[in-house]
Amino acid sequence: MKMPDIGSTPPILGLEAVTAAMVPLVGGKAANLGELLAAGLPVPDGFCLTTEAYREATTGQAAAGHVTAVGAAAGGYTGVDAHRRGGPLAQVHETLQATPDGDLPALAALASRARELIRKAPVPSAIAAAVEQAYAALGDNVPVAVRSSATAEDLPSASFAGQQDTYLNVVGSAAVVEAVRECWASLWTDRAVSYRASRGIDPAAVALAVVVQRMVDATAAGVLFTANPLTGRRHQAVIDASPGLGEAVVSGAVNPDHFVVDPLTGRVLERRLGDKRIAVRPIPGGGTRTLAISNGGAAACLTDKQAAELAALGRRVEDHFGSPQDIEWAIAGDGRLWLTQSRPITTLFPVPQRASDGEGTRVYLCFSLAQGLVRPITPMGLSAFRLIASSVARAAQFDVPEPRKGPSQYAVAAQRIYFDLTAVARSTTGRRIVPRVFDVMEARSATVLRRVFEDPRFSVTRRTPLGLLRHVVPAAVHARVPETLLRAAFRPDAALRRTNRRAREFADSLEPPAGLTPLQRLDHAEHLLGTRIFSVVPSILPLPALGFAALALAGRLLGGGRRDDLQVVLRGLPNNVTTEMDLELWRLAQVIRNDGGSRAAVTDRKPAELAKEFRTGQLPAVLQSGLARFMGQYGHRAVAEIDVGMPRWSDDSTHILGVLANYLRLEGSALAPDAQFSNAAEEAEACVDRLVAEARSRGRLRGTVVRAALRRARLFAGLRELPKYQLVVGLAEVRKQLTLAGTALAASGAVAEADDIFFLDLDEARAGFNSGTGTADLRDLVERRRADYALELERRHVPRVLLSDGTEPEAIPSGDAAAASTVPGALTGSPASAGVVTATARVILDPVGAHLEPGEILVAPSTDPGWTPLFLTAGGLVMEMGGPNSHGAVVAREYGIPAVVGVPDATLRLSTGQEITVDGGAGTVVPS
C-alpha cells in the first residue's frame, strides 16, 4: 500500500473524508468508520484528530512529511522520525525497545511514565482551537463519544481491541479537549504496552488518532459478529445485546441477551436471554452511570425483527470489507440502528482454498496435523507438497491437469495443508476405512469425522467400492504390492533385505550430475518432487501394513480383550529407523561423557555457540568427529521435516547439541535408554512366547499361526517409520538443490539471502532468474510472506476438520459428549502406551532448545521424529494429537514409557512444574 501524501493534512478531518488508505493518519477505528460512511451505512457523524496532532503534542513539533513505512507487525505505516528526534517520550521509547517483553513490572513502570508525561504536557493551542471548532460544528454542547484510534489496532493482522480508552457522553469543548489528552495517554496503558512488546512493535512506531462522534442515547446496544466466533460458521450472525449503552456488553459487566441469526433469511436460530442486571446510562451534563435493573432477564431487549435487521446490516458491512466483522451497534430511542465500530474477526480460522472449486458444502481434513505438525508450512514447502500430492493422485489414475497447483482434493488454509474428504464422507467404503485408519494415526480426527458423517449434508451417494477399486487396484499392481505382500508373508527375511536394499538405492539415486546451473537445480528439485519421491513408498508400505494386520490376526486367534498384551508385543521393535537414530545419539552421548573436554563443552556452553563451532570444525575432537558421523547418517532430519523450508540438522545442529546436553544429565544405568529399549525388547519376546504357548494349548495349528503372525508383527511393524524417513531423505536433497539455487538468487540481488527462496514457490524462484523480473518486487514478496509466516507461528489452535462454510465440527457442542472419566479433574484421551507414572509435567511447544529433566512427563501438542530424542529421558508422554499408532505413541511404547494421546488442549490445561499422573492404559491424565 502506497502511503498517501499527508504533508499538508490538517490535524482534524471529518469522518466523511476518511478512507481505508489513511490508517497511518487516522488509525484503524477511524479508517473503518470512514469506510462505513462511504458505503452509505448508518454511522453517527463526527471528526477525527489525526496522528499528526498526537505527534505534535508529544514531540513539540509537527511530524508532517516525516511519516515513514515501518514493519508490517506495526500494522501499516506510522510516523517514526518525529519520535526519534526527541520530545518527552523519546527516552521512554528507547528504554521500552530495550526491555524484554516478559519483564512486565518494567514495562508497566515505563507505561506509567509515558502516561504521566502526556498528561503533564499542554495540548498545543492550535490543536485545542481546531477541536473546539470541529466540536461546535456538531451542535451546541452536543454529547459525544471520544474514542481512541490506534495505528496498531482494528487491523486484519492486529485486531487486539480495548487497548486504549473511550470516554462516553462527553459534553462541552473543554471536556472534549481533556478527553482527547486522556485518549493520547491511553496509548500507553499497561495492556497496550505489553501487547505491543509481545508482538515486537517498535514503541516509536505507534501513534494515536482520536475519533469524536455524536453520542447515540441508546435504548439497547451491544456487539454483532457476522460469523459465529465459536464454531467458525460463516453466514451466521451472533448478537449480544443489553439495555442502555453498549459499554455494559463490551466490558463484560452484564450477561447479555444472545441471538444467533441466519442473515439471509432473518430467522432467529437461537435465543438465550441474559439476566441483564445492570445498564449504563448517560448523565445529563456529561458522564455515565451504572444502574441496577430488577427482573432484567424477563424480556428480551431486542425483538426478532430488530435482530434480523441487525444481521442484515452486518452482512452489508461484511460484504463491504470482504471479511467477517466484529461490530458495535446501538439502537436509538426512535428505533434507528447505528454502527459505532467495525473491525475484522481475526480469530476465525480461514476457510481452505482448493486447487479447484467443488459444489455444495465440503469437508476438509488437516493433513498437517495428521503428520504431527501444528506450525505453518513455508510457501516452498506448500509448493513441494502440491507436486508430491499430484504424483500420488496420478499414481492412482486421477486426472491432475496442473500438477503445480496440486490435485483437486488439495487445499490450503492458514499455511496448513488440508485435503477434501467430501467423496470419502459420501462413500460407504470411505466411511468404513478412513476413520479406522485415523483411529491408529490421529484418534481425535477419527472421532470428528464420524460426527461429520452424521450430518445429512454428507449423505452417502456411493454404496459400492467399485469406484475406489478402479483407482487402487491398478496403482497397487503397478507398484507390485501383491508381490511384496506375498514375499513378506512367506519369506519375511528376504522381504526385509529387499526393502532395505531399495531404500539404499533410492537415496543413491537422488543426487543430480555435477555442474548444474541454478535453473537446472530448480528443474531437478521439481523432478524429484513430481516423480521420484513418492515412488519409494509403495515398495515399503505393504510391509508395516502386513505387520499390523498380522498382529490383528494374532489378537483374533487369541480371543478378545488382549489389547494390553498386543501393546507389549510392539515394545522394543527392531527395524525402526527413528529408534535406531535415537539410540545412536544416546551412544554418542556416552562417548562424549567419557571425554572430559567434549563433556565440558556440551554441559557448560550454549548449544547455539557449539553449533557455530561445529560448522567451522572447532569443537573438541571427540565431539566434532562424533557429531559429524551422526550428521552424516541423520543430518537430513529436522523438526517439522516434511517442510523443505525447515533447516535440517546438518544445517543447524543446535537442537541436537541441546538434546545431547539433556542426555548427559541422565545418571544411573536403570534409566539408560539403551537398557530400557533392550528390556522392552526382552519383555516383548517373553510376551510372544507366553501368547504362543497359550495359543498352542488350544491347538497346534493355532499356535503355529500365532507365532508366525507375531514374528511378522515384530519384524515389520517398526518399518512404519521407513516410508516417511525415505520421503524426508528425498526432501533433504530437494532442500539442498533449492538452497544452492537460493544462493545464486541472493548473489544476483533478486533476494536478500539464500533462505529467502523458501518463501517463494518454484515458479516465483524461476522468475527471479529472469532479468525482466523486478528485484524490489521479489524482495517485497519475500518480506510480506515472512511477516505472514511469523503471524501464523503464533496460532495455537488448528482445526482437525473444517467445513467449507467455516464450521469447525469439533467446536459444536455434542449432545452425547459426557465426561469420559469419573475421576474429578481428569483429562481424557486415547490410551497409547500402558503404564502409570506420577511426575512433574514439562509443557514443550517446540523441541528446538527444549530442556527436559530426566523422568519428567513431556506434554506436547504433537510430535514427529524431530521430537523423539526427548523421549529417551521422558518419564511419560501426553500429546494433544495422535492415535494409538501415531508416531509418538509407537515410540513411547518402544521405550516403555506411559503415554496418552489425543488429549484436548493439554498444553493449555497443564502447566510446567505441575505434578500429574499419566495412565497409559486407561487414557487419563490426572493433575495432582
Side-chain angles (χ1 to χ4, degrees), residues 602-614:
V602 174
T603 56
D604 297 343
R605 298 174 59 197
K606 294 181 179 179
E609 296 176 2
L610 296 175
K612 291 180 180 178
E613 293 189 5
F614 173 64

Side-chain angles (χ1 to χ4, degrees), residues 642-918:
I642 65 171
D643 181 0
V644 295
M646 292 296 292
R648 309 291 107 171
W649 288 339
S650 56
D651 299 326
D652 184 355
S653 58
T654 301
H655 173 55
I656 292 301
L657 286 160
V659 173
L660 287 171
N662 281 341
Y663 285 178
L664 292 177
R665 296 187 183 97
L666 186 61
E667 301 290 345
S669 58
L671 294 176
D674 51 355
Q676 289 195 50
F677 183 81
S678 177
N679 292 338
E682 291 176 7
E683 183 182 355
E685 293 295 346
C687 184
V688 168
D689 292 341
R690 177 170 56 80
L691 294 176
V692 170
E694 179 184 329
R696 278 181 174 166
S697 69
R698 298 164 60 186
R700 190 168 186 175
L701 178 61
R702 185 184 296 263
T704 300
V705 174
V706 167
R707 173 174 288 281
L710 292 180
R711 178 172 181 261
R712 282 155 181 78
R714 285 194 54 76
L715 189 65
F716 294 141
L719 292 172
R720 73 176 295 276
E721 294 289 315
L722 189 57
K724 182 179 179 181
Y725 181 90
Q726 293 301 110
L727 286 174
V728 172
V729 169
L731 289 175
E733 182 61 36
V734 169
R735 179 180 170 84
K736 176 182 175 182
Q737 299 305 315
L738 291 173
T739 300
L740 291 170
T743 301
L745 272 179
S748 72
V751 295
E753 53 189 74
D755 276 0
D756 284 350
I757 196 172
F758 297 110
F759 289 89
L760 305 170
D761 63 25
L762 284 164
D763 287 338
E764 291 161 350
R766 283 193 179 88
F769 291 105
N770 185 336
S771 59
T773 300
T775 299
D777 291 343
L778 210 56
R779 287 181 173 233
D780 287 347
L781 178 62
V782 168
E783 186 177 352
R784 289 196 303 272
R785 294 256 179 89
R786 284 190 179 274
D788 292 342
Y789 182 79
L791 285 175
E792 281 300 330
L793 283 173
E794 298 179 10
R795 191 186 294 275
R796 291 290 306 280
H797 175 67
V798 178
R800 287 166 170 72
V801 178
L802 268 177
L803 304 187
S804 56
D805 65 357
T807 303
E808 183 182 347
E810 196 172 12
I812 299 175
S814 174
D816 59 356
S821 173
T822 58
V823 180
L827 284 65
T828 59
S830 298
S833 179
V836 179
V837 61
T838 299
T840 299
R842 173 78 63 171
V843 178
I844 296 177
L845 303 179
D846 187 337
V848 177
H851 173 73
L852 186 71
E853 290 289 343
E856 288 184 328
I857 296 171
L858 171 62
V859 181
S862 63
T863 63
D864 64 9
W867 287 75
T868 55
L870 292 172
F871 286 28
L872 293 184
T873 58
L877 172 68
V878 177
M879 286 179 12
E880 291 182 337
M881 272 72 76
N885 266 348
S886 61
H887 170 81
V890 170
V891 176
R893 283 197 298 270
E894 291 180 359
Y895 293 158
I897 62 174
V900 180
V901 300
V903 181
D905 301 320
T907 61
L908 297 175
R909 299 166 69 184
L910 300 174
S911 57
T912 295
Q914 182 180 19
E915 188 173 85
I916 61 176
T917 298
V918 174

Side-chain angles (χ1 to χ4, degrees), residues 59 83 116 132 156 176 231 257 266 454 520 528 530 744 894 914:
T59 65
H83 284 255
E116 179 186 8
E132 292 170 0
V176 171
T231 66
D257 291 341
E454 297 172 1
Q520 288 173 329
L528 292 180
E894 291 180 359
Q914 182 180 19

Side-chain angles (χ1 to χ4, degrees), residues 324-337:
Q325 296 289 299
D326 169 3
I327 298 166
E328 293 182 21
W329 56 269
I331 299 179
D334 60 3
R336 186 175 180 186
L337 290 175

Side-chain angles (χ1 to χ4, degrees), residues 407-433:
S408 61
Q409 296 84 2
Y410 179 95
V412 173
Q415 300 173 37
R416 277 87 176 173
I417 299 172
Y418 281 79
F419 279 98
D420 186 342
L421 293 191
T422 309
V424 169
R426 294 189 176 280
S427 163
T428 300
T429 305
R431 288 184 172 210
R432 184 181 301 119
I433 295 175

Side-chain angles (χ1 to χ4, degrees), residues 366-373 385 441-442 642 724 862-864:
C366 186
F367 176 82
S368 296
L369 277 185
Q371 291 295 310
L373 196 62
F385 255 93
M441 280 183 59
E442 218 290 295
I642 65 171
K724 182 179 179 181
S862 63
T863 63
D864 64 9

